[in-house]
Amino acid sequence: EPKILSLVVFCPCCRLADTWQQAGLLAFQFAICLPHFFFCCLPCIGSYFRNLMRQRFNIRRSSVTLDCLSWTCVPWLAAVQEAKMVE
């Protein structure tokens, strides 16, 4: 999905906030601040919200370790995958 990928690459905070808001996890205004203020914790935050989305959409669970690893090594791909899931 080129549109989602370009948003993740050029404006990741907006894309993450939109994804989390569409999933019903956070208000957009709060979600857009999280990556700015807690950038060093983004893999943990991303893993946490990924787990919440799995529960919300009844998706088979993966290990928290794999989620954290994906948010640490390839955060852009994890963000794109989550955005595609909620759209």
Side-chain angles (χ1 to χ4, degrees):
E1 199 64 40
K3 180 182 174 186
I4 294 174
L5 181 60
S6 63
L7 278 173
V8 167
V9 170
F10 295 111
C11 191
C13 295
C14 294
R15 182 63 254 185
L16 288 174
D18 187 51
T19 300
W20 294 337
Q21 188 226 357
Q22 284 184 21
L25 302 175
L26 286 175
F28 184 84
Q29 295 82 0
F30 181 69
I32 203 165
C33 295
L34 272 177
H36 287 292
F37 295 121
F38 300 104
F39 181 75
C40 62
C41 300
L42 193 57
C44 295
I45 294 169
S47 300
Y48 174 74
F49 285 120
R50 190 175 182 91
N51 190 26
L52 289 179
M53 281 193 273
R54 285 180 200 267
Q55 291 174 1
R56 179 154 299 193
F57 296 112
N58 294 321
I59 297 173
R60 186 178 56 89
R61 289 191 179 188
S62 178
S63 75
V64 176
T65 306
L66 286 176
D67 287 343
C68 192
L69 195 61
S70 68
W71 268 98
T72 302
C73 298
V74 285
W76 300 276
L77 296 179
V80 167
Q81 185 181 37
E82 292 171 10
K84 287 178 73 172
M85 182 174 52
V86 297
E87 285 192 352

